[in-house]
């Protein structure tokens, strides 16, 4: 019942507004990256478009142009970052908007029961990430769920545009790209997919043009640095590893290989199961005679599933990275055929681990075990059936 769903959603958002205001007023703000963000964008605002020169107290600028635009706006409205309280109110608005979009995406997917969506409002860590830390992960998540909602409603060009804007804030959004490619290929084949990939690339190039024109090497090395070595102290998922192994290139290569294998296996055994496998899917939909309708549940399940695979094989997860996938947990859990008790247990296990500070070897192993169990279950997700005319063609 859509009417009941939205009444329930409005009640949740009203409660979140009150709780958010209480957190801002009563819980002390903790400085982590806000001042560094302000210092980084101040260099750009001063007219220096060389990314190599943009640095803050925590290091160089490592985010694309969309990040710069967002935090330059915040730099302006907060008086150079001085008015932190105003920034907290802005992030409360971002938190509410992200939650509202996530609720709408869940409604489009119609996988999880309405009562389960209350789980989106119970995370202590998520409230901290938005209202008390002001991380850019929240901004990227807002754009991701805007993209998901548009794609689920069949708005492919606007959805891809929102996806590209999310990538321009933080490149972790690229974790969803493999699923987006599969969906675009299913929708209209090679030409349709290529056109929308070009659209995404054009947005990136347009946003980054001033920096690319100044020093494209500095921009690419800063905004899309795939070789970054993270600090062991802040890892949530690999605290049980000695630091020399954690920073090693062998571990990075192994995780990258595992990520690729898991994605290909998921595409072959789950996403394209009804087509006879991933290769058969590519052949069957390469040059379709007409556009194919892609059900909203399939759009959401594939996109969030691809993101979750990336989470499982991430080289590290810092506390703010929880925003990458928290809002997807109810949908991921309710699309796999396990009892509700097991779903709640897995959800609470994930939430409890993210609230352990500092992370311990035991908490990291627990998180990896829960992630592994959920990942295994993704291979038996029940997809919406294919259109009968396409099934007949494949047979």
């Amino acid at each position: 019942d859509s009417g009941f769903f939205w009444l329930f959603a409005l009640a949740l958002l009203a409660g979140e507004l009150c709780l958010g205001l209480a957190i801002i007023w009563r819980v002390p703000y903790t400085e982590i990256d806000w001042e560094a963000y302000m210092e980084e964008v101040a260099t750009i605002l001063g007219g220096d478009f060389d990314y190599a020169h943009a640095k803050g107290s925590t290091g160089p600028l490592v985010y694309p142009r969309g990040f710069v635009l967002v935090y330059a706006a915040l730099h302006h409205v907060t008086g150079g970052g001085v008015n932190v309280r105003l920034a907290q109110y802005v992030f409360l608005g971002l938190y509410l908007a992200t939650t509202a979009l996530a609720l709408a995406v869940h409604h489009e997917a119609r996988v999880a029961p309405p009562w389960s969506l209350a789980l989106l409002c119970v995370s202590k860590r998520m409230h901290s990430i938005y209202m008390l830390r002001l991380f850019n992960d929240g901004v990227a998540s807002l754009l991701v769920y805007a993209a998901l909602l548009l794609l689920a409603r069949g708005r492919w060009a606007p959805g891809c545009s929102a996806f590209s804007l999310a990538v321009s804030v933080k490149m972790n959004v690229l974790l969803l790209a493999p699923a987006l490619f599969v969906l675009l290929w299913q929708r209209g084949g090679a030409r349709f997919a290529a056109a929308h990939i070009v659209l995404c690339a054009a947005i990136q190039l347009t946003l980054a043009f001033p920096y690319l024109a100044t020093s494209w090497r500095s921009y690419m090395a800063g905004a899309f640095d795939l070789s970054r070595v993270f600090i062991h102290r802040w890892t949530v998922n690999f605290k049980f590893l000695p630091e020399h192994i954690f920073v090693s290139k062998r571990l990075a290569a192994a995780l990258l290989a595992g990520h690729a294998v898991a994605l290909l296996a998921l595409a072959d055994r789950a996403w394209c199961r009804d087509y006879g496998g991933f290769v058969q899917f590519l052949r069957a939909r390469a040059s379709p005679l007409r556009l194919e309708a892609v059900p909203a549940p399939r759009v959401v399940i594939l996109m969030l599933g691809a993101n979750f695979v990336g989470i499982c094989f991430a080289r590290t997860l810092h506390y703010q990275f929880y925003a990458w996938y928290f809002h997807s947990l109810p949908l991921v859990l309710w699309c796999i055929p396990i009892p509700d008790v097991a779903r709640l247990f897995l959800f609470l296990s994930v939430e409890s681990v993210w609230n352990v500070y500092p992370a311990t070897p035991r908490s990291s192993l627990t998180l990896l075990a829960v992630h592994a169990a959920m990942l295994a279950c993704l291979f038996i997700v029940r997809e919406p059936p294919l259109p009968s005319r396409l099934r007949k063609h494949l047979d």
Side-chain angles (χ1 to χ4, degrees):
D1 186 341
S2 294
F4 169 77
F5 175 87
W6 287 114
L7 284 175
F8 184 52
L10 287 172
L12 290 175
L13 292 171
E16 285 284 65
L17 173 61
C18 295
L19 178 59
L21 290 172
I23 290 171
I24 292 172
W25 293 339
R26 299 182 64 86
V27 181
Y29 161 79
T30 303
E31 168 56 36
I32 297 181
D33 281 340
W34 171 256
E35 291 182 0
Y37 291 167
M38 294 296 102
E39 291 165 356
E40 289 163 2
V41 299
T43 302
I44 304 295
L45 291 173
D48 188 344
F49 294 113
D50 189 335
Y51 248 54
H53 299 160
K55 297 179 180 180
S57 57
T58 60
L61 176 58
V62 293
Y63 307 115
R65 173 79 191 286
F67 164 87
V68 174
L69 293 176
V70 171
Y71 278 85
L74 289 169
H75 185 279
H76 175 73
V77 300
T78 61
V82 175
N83 191 345
V84 176
R85 177 57 58 87
L86 177 57
Q88 288 182 281
Y89 289 133
V90 172
F91 272 81
L92 172 56
L94 289 173
Y95 175 82
L96 293 173
T98 304
T99 303
L101 287 169
L103 289 168
V105 167
H106 282 72
H107 182 60
E108 290 290 331
R110 298 180 184 272
V111 171
W115 65 265
S116 69
L117 301 184
L119 297 174
L120 297 178
C121 305
V122 301
S123 176
K124 176 182 177 182
R125 179 61 61 190
M126 288 301 296
H127 289 95
S128 172
I129 289 170
Y130 279 84
M131 274 79 82
L132 300 178
R133 304 295 186 267
L134 314 180
F135 287 121
N136 64 328
D137 304 83
V139 181
S141 294
L142 172 71
L143 292 168
V144 164
Y145 282 97
L148 281 174
L149 185 59
L150 290 165
L151 293 170
R153 292 178 174 177
R155 304 290 302 279
W156 295 94
C160 287
S161 298
F163 174 80
S164 188
L165 289 174
V167 172
S168 78
V169 174
K170 197 162 187 179
M171 71 173 180
N172 71 280
V173 178
L174 289 172
L175 294 177
L176 289 82
L180 180 58
F181 170 78
V182 170
L183 293 168
L184 291 170
W185 197 275
Q186 178 182 348
R187 172 63 172 164
R191 288 186 179 181
F192 186 85
H196 287 79
I197 292 171
V198 168
L199 171 63
C200 291
I203 291 172
Q204 294 297 317
L205 292 172
T206 301
L207 287 173
F209 179 76
Y211 312 101
L212 294 173
T214 301
S215 176
W216 68 268
R217 288 186 177 86
S218 294
Y219 180 78
M220 296 303 296
F224 297 99
D225 182 5
L226 299 178
S227 61
R228 288 177 62 193
V229 178
F230 295 91
I231 299 174
H232 182 257
R233 174 188 176 187
W234 297 114
T235 186
V236 177
N237 57 333
F238 284 126
K239 200 68 172 183
F240 60 90
L241 291 177
E243 186 171 0
H244 71 279
I245 295 178
F246 174 78
V247 300
S248 68
K249 292 183 178 180
R250 287 186 178 182
L251 176 63
L255 290 170
L256 181 60
H259 186 191
V261 169
L263 277 175
L264 287 172
L266 192 63
D268 190 65
R269 301 296 180 88
W271 297 350
C272 306
R273 181 191 301 136
D274 289 336
Y275 293 87
F278 182 57
V279 174
Q280 290 81 356
F281 162 76
L282 292 177
R283 291 172 179 170
R285 295 297 302 160
S287 301
L289 297 177
R290 58 180 62 87
L291 295 177
E292 193 69 58
V294 183
R298 178 170 172 80
V299 171
V300 177
I301 289 171
L302 264 63
M303 292 287 281
L304 296 181
N307 184 60
F308 186 75
V309 173
I311 294 293
C312 291
F313 290 94
R315 187 171 182 179
T316 189
L317 293 174
H318 293 177
Y319 284 98
Q320 64 268 35
F321 296 179
Y322 194 23
W324 295 4
Y325 76 119
F326 168 75
H327 291 98
S328 71
L329 285 175
L331 190 141
V332 172
L333 288 168
W334 260 268
C335 76
I336 57 182
I338 59 176
D340 284 352
V341 172
R343 293 179 176 120
L344 290 172
F345 173 77
L346 291 172
F347 177 87
L348 293 174
S349 297
V350 172
E351 175 65 18
S352 64
V353 166
W354 282 97
N355 285 303
V356 174
Y357 178 80
T360 65
R362 181 176 180 178
S363 68
S364 291
L365 286 169
T366 300
L367 185 64
L368 287 181
V370 173
H371 281 175
M374 293 174 64
L375 178 60
C377 289
L378 283 179
F379 284 87
I380 54 175
V381 167
R382 292 163 293 193
E383 292 285 346
L386 287 173
S388 57
R389 56 184 172 81
L390 182 55
R391 187 181 296 279
K392 181 178 179 180
H393 168 74
L394 292 173
D395 292 340

